[in-house]
């Protein structure tokens, strides 16, 4: 059961929000069978975004990345399920949409690396860090989906 409660942090970036892609992206995670744990629509502060991307602070694109991410609201989410971190990344596609296969979110819905519409945690460790950065413990909702037995063996 423990593996089925793995959690990942997914965020629809300001371009995804502005382009009206929130419903399409949420639909993909929902229809896959993952369970929504938390969702928050917010204008993230520069401080939060700097912290979120702290591992990239020495990269040349870091200032532009923080500016892009703070240029409008984002939809922050936590999704749960078996291998959701790794499968979530597969659903997103590659960092550069040009390398992302059709059928993936970035492969289907965007073109440039600096406007790649969605974030997804890259490991269970970073998922846990990101979830606690963006959400308070009491904002994480536990419930058993009535579809659970129809999704898992
Ligand atoms: N990014 C960018 N230029 C680059 C590499 C990354 O603008 O050359 C941005 C892009 O928005 C990416 C984010 O920085 O999603 C974080 O980079 P990371 O390598 O963590 O990619 P991700 O985990 O989002 O696929
Ligand atoms: Mg990353």
């Amino acid at each position: 059961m423990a593996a089925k409660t793995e959690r990942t942090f997914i965020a629809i970036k300001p371009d995804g929000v502005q382009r009206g892609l929130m419903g399409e992206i949420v639909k993909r995670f929902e229809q896959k069978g993952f369970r929504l744990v938390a969702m928050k629509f917010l204008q993230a502060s520069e401080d939060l975004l700097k912290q979120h991307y702290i591992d990239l602070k020495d990269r040349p694109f870091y200032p532009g990345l923080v500016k892009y991410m703070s240029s409008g609201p984002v939809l922050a989410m936590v999704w749960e399920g078996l291998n959701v971190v790794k499968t979530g990344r597969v659903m997103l596609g590659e960092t550069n949409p040009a390398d992302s296969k059709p059928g993936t979110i970035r492969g289907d819905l965007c073109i440039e690396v600096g406007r790649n519409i969605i974030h997804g945690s890259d490991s269970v460790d970073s998922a846990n860090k990101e979830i606690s950065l963006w959400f308070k413990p009491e904002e994480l909702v536990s419930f058993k989906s009535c579809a659970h037995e129809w999704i898992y063996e």
Side-chain angles (χ1 to χ4, degrees):
M1 182 66 195
K4 295 174 188 169
T5 60
E6 183 175 298
R7 289 175 174 180
T8 193
F9 175 71
I10 299 290
I12 302 179
K13 298 178 175 182
D15 47 347
V17 172
Q18 291 287 356
R19 294 179 53 209
L21 297 172
M22 289 191 288
E24 169 65 27
I25 291 169
V26 169
K27 186 185 79 169
R28 291 186 184 209
F29 280 86
E30 195 177 33
Q31 290 190 338
K32 174 74 174 168
F34 290 133
R35 184 178 79 73
L36 185 65
V37 173
M39 179 183 266
K40 176 154 65 178
F41 185 58
L42 75 158
Q43 171 68 55
S45 68
E46 276 198 25
D47 278 355
L48 171 61
L49 294 164
K50 281 182 180 161
Q51 192 58 35
H52 173 76
Y53 281 125
I54 195 74
D55 293 347
L56 301 172
K57 68 177 187 315
D58 297 325
R59 305 295 289 276
F61 57 83
Y62 180 73
L65 174 60
V66 171
K67 193 168 171 234
Y68 153 55
M69 290 295 293
S70 58
S71 66
V74 299
L75 187 67
M77 294 173 278
V78 177
W79 288 91
E80 180 179 276
L82 183 64
N83 292 324
V84 70
V85 171
K86 184 162 179 272
T87 302
R89 292 282 295 193
V90 173
M91 289 166 66
L92 261 61
E94 301 300 319
T95 302
N96 188 340
D99 300 327
S100 301
K101 292 198 174 69
T104 66
I105 292 165
R106 287 168 174 165
D108 287 347
L109 303 173
C110 56
I111 294 174
E112 281 205 302
V113 67
R115 296 290 182 271
N116 64 359
I117 71 170
I118 185 165
H119 167 82
S121 308
D122 63 6
S123 68
V124 172
D125 250 21
S126 50
N128 291 334
K129 275 186 211 146
E130 290 167 4
I131 291 166
S132 59
L133 180 66
W134 288 79
F135 289 95
K136 298 181 192 127
E138 61 268 27
E139 292 176 323
L140 305 175
V141 180
S142 283
F143 72 99
K144 189 172 174 187
S145 161
C146 67
H148 190 275
E149 316 305 337
W150 298 102
I151 292 168
Y152 296 104
E153 301 181 51

